[in-house]
Every structure is written in structure tokens, then in C-alpha cells.
Amino acid sequence: MKAFICCSILTIHLFSCQAKPRDPLLKAWLYSDEATQQEIAASEALPRPVADRELTADQFLELGENGLYNAYFRKYETGKWKREDKTLILVNERKEVTEWLIVRQEAKKLVLSDKMGRRIYVFEGYPTAFQTARQNPFSIVHNKWRIPATHKETDAELRSRLKNHFSFWETYFQWGLDSKIDLLNVRSTPSLLKLYGNGFQLQYYEYLFTDWKELFYDTADCRAAYERFYYKMYEKKVKWPETENRFQRMVSAFQQLQLWMDEKSSPYARPLTH
């Protein structure tokens, strides 16, 4: 009888020690304008919803462990999140609160709306299993470049901003490689580069995204940063690895670009005037 009781207690203990199922919200949710338009056309849950015209495919919401999140909705922010019934609540580092209504949640799709149900947002979910912030392309570690400058930046600060931008791309592609993601959006993220499926080129200055230019204190700093990279590309050459895996190629290339930014600027680049 005592043996039976002991076995029963042991069984209960083992079941209680089993890991809780992972919250399906723990993913990187990337905004999809196309899916949002499709949801609007087929929506029955909300009366005549509309899309947020200011959002593009580079907007993301990464919901992580311990109730922490990283997001980019027109501006980058970090903070804490929680779910209360059908409401997703975000509290950023400035203590500003955003509440989203969860219209529908699927394995790879999250449909949200504002509290009034007037605007609708559709995100596509991607797996995450980051052990450290450095492995996470959505963390502040790799997104300092998204924070607009509040002062005229020095040569070292401009190179650091570019290096951080390149570290984002390196980690972004490494995440895609590790997670076996077939396709990642590369066309919407503000950058001085124009990315393709298997490479990149320096974008013409006149065609740079406004969102990229507005990261700098003024036009002079934006052009100075552009020149610092332009002359590095003139002096050096990316050594593309011999592999057909495009994510591996990109990871290697952006590692090299970061090393370039550790060097002093080319003497051909115009000196900064502050």
C-alpha cells in the first residue's frame, strides 16, 4: 500500500514538473500589408475596417520570454507585454501603453485591431528561440541605428551607427538561416543599401528612404555617413563565400562591412564641420 502511494506521488510530481506549453504569441510577428488588405476584404468580425497607411512590411512586433517585447511601428521601442483575455497590452520604456484587440490568432498569423475596431493589422508569425539579446535581430543591441540622432554626430558615431545597421542585417539573416526560413523581407527596411535575393548594392543618395534620412541629425550628417561607406566600397571589395545559400552569403558580407566601419574613414571623405 505504501509503495502504491509513493508511486502515485512520484507520478503526480513528474507531471507537475513538465514544461508548460509555449505561449503561441511568443514569436516574431512581421507586419504584412498584403495579408492586411486580404483580411479587410474578407472581414466579418469588424465593420468596415481600414489599414494603417503609415505601416510597411518592415514593421515588427517580437514578443519574447519573461513578458518582454521589441517593436518597430514608425519608431523603435522596447518594453513589457501581457495578454488579458482578448487584449494584448504593450507598455514601452517610456511607460506609454498601447492596447490591441486580438481579432484572431493562428499558428502563423495574428490579426489585431485598435480598441475601436477601426483599423486592422495582420502579422505573419516566425519562430524565435533566442538565448541572448545578441542573437536577436529585433533587440536593442542591433537596432540602435533606428533611434534618431539628437545631436550632430562625430565621425566615430556615424561609423558606429552604420556598423550597428550592418549588425542588424547580419543577425537578421543568421536568424533566417537558423530558423530555416525560406524567405525574408529585405526591400522595406530603411537602409543606404538596396538588397536583393543574393546580394546588395549602394543605393543612389537621391533614392534613399526618407525614414533612413530622418535617422540623422541633419542632411549634412546623412550625406557624411553615406560618403563614409561609399569610399569604403570604393577602396575594398566584399569577399563573397563560395556557397549557394544566400543567407550564409549575406551573413558573411555584413560581417565584413562591420569590420570596415571599425577602421577610420577614408581620406577621400569630406571632413565633418560641427
Side-chain angles (χ1 to χ4, degrees):
M1 185 65 172
K2 290 182 179 180
F4 175 76
I5 293 173
C6 289
C7 286
S8 298
I9 293 173
L10 179 60
T11 301
I12 293 171
H13 178 70
L14 288 174
F15 273 104
S16 65
C17 290
Q18 286 182 351
K20 294 181 180 179
R22 181 178 172 86
D23 189 327
L25 277 178
L26 292 174
K27 286 185 175 70
W29 299 99
L30 309 187
Y31 178 74
S32 172
D33 182 64
E34 181 179 356
T36 298
Q37 295 300 333
Q38 293 172 354
E39 186 71 25
I40 289 173
S43 179
E44 295 180 356
L46 300 173
R48 294 193 296 181
V50 298
D52 189 332
R53 294 183 180 275
E54 294 187 30
L55 293 191
T56 56
D58 65 315
Q59 316 288 314
F60 60 79
L61 172 63
E62 187 253 328
L63 301 176
E65 302 281 358
N66 302 320
L68 302 178
Y69 81 89
N70 301 294
Y72 178 60
F73 301 126
R74 308 183 191 90
K75 61 182 178 181
Y76 181 81
E77 66 180 41
T78 63
K80 296 184 178 181
W81 72 276
K82 64 179 179 179
R83 184 217 307 253
E84 290 186 355
D85 194 22
K86 292 288 187 177
T87 303
L88 176 62
I89 303 172
L90 308 179
V91 183
N92 66 22
E93 67 274 18
R94 296 180 297 279
K95 306 302 180 183
E96 298 169 340
V97 180
T98 301
E99 294 186 6
W100 306 73
L101 298 180
I102 302 175
V103 179
R104 189 171 70 259
Q105 180 183 347
E106 301 173 3
K108 296 183 179 180
K109 180 184 289 188
L110 180 63
V111 182
L112 303 176
S113 76
D114 59 5
K115 291 185 67 176
M116 301 301 292
R118 294 173 180 169
R119 290 184 175 179
I120 199 165
Y121 309 82
V122 180
F123 298 84
E124 296 178 349
Y126 295 84
T128 56
F130 307 123
Q131 299 300 314
T132 65
R134 189 158 295 278
Q135 295 175 343
N136 185 350
F138 309 105
S139 74
I140 185 61
V141 173
H142 303 291
N143 286 275
K144 295 176 183 178
W145 64 273
R146 293 186 191 267
I147 301 174
T150 57
H151 63 273
K152 294 281 290 182
E153 295 185 302
T154 64
D155 177 80
E157 288 174 321
L158 291 175
R159 286 186 286 110
S160 178
R161 181 177 290 273
L162 292 176
K163 179 179 179 179
N164 188 253
H165 178 62
F166 299 147
S167 81
F168 161 77
W169 283 121
E170 176 203 347
T171 317
Y172 185 66
F173 286 112
Q174 187 64 56
W175 166 60
L177 186 63
D178 294 339
S179 303
K180 296 180 172 56
I181 298 172
D182 294 329
L183 187 65
L184 286 172
N185 180 281
V186 299
R187 297 295 182 90
S188 302
T189 300
S191 180
L192 74 171
L193 299 171
K194 186 172 183 178
L195 275 69
Y196 301 95
N198 60 350
F200 54 75
Q201 68 177 30
L202 180 63
Q203 181 68 278
Y204 288 110
Y205 183 83
E206 292 74 15
Y207 297 153
L208 292 177
F209 286 171
T210 300
D211 287 351
W212 172 261
K213 293 182 177 181
E214 290 179 346
L215 296 174
F216 298 89
Y217 185 76
D218 56 20
T219 303
D221 273 12
C222 181
R223 186 171 285 278
Y226 183 88
E227 285 190 357
R228 273 141 185 76
F229 183 67
Y230 172 88
Y231 284 111
K232 285 298 178 184
M233 289 199 74
Y234 176 78
E235 296 169 348
K236 298 176 177 291
K237 186 176 181 180
V238 174
K239 298 177 181 178
W240 294 97
E242 295 182 3
T243 174
E244 294 184 1
N245 188 300
R246 43 199 181 141
F247 286 179
Q248 288 180 346
R249 287 169 54 84
M250 289 296 204
V251 167
S252 174
F254 282 109
Q255 288 173 343
Q256 295 173 58
L257 267 52
Q258 290 173 71
L259 293 176
W260 295 2
M261 293 301 102
D262 286 336
E263 303 171 0
K264 290 185 177 180
S265 295
S266 168
Y268 297 109
R270 285 176 290 185
L272 296 172
T273 56
H274 290 162

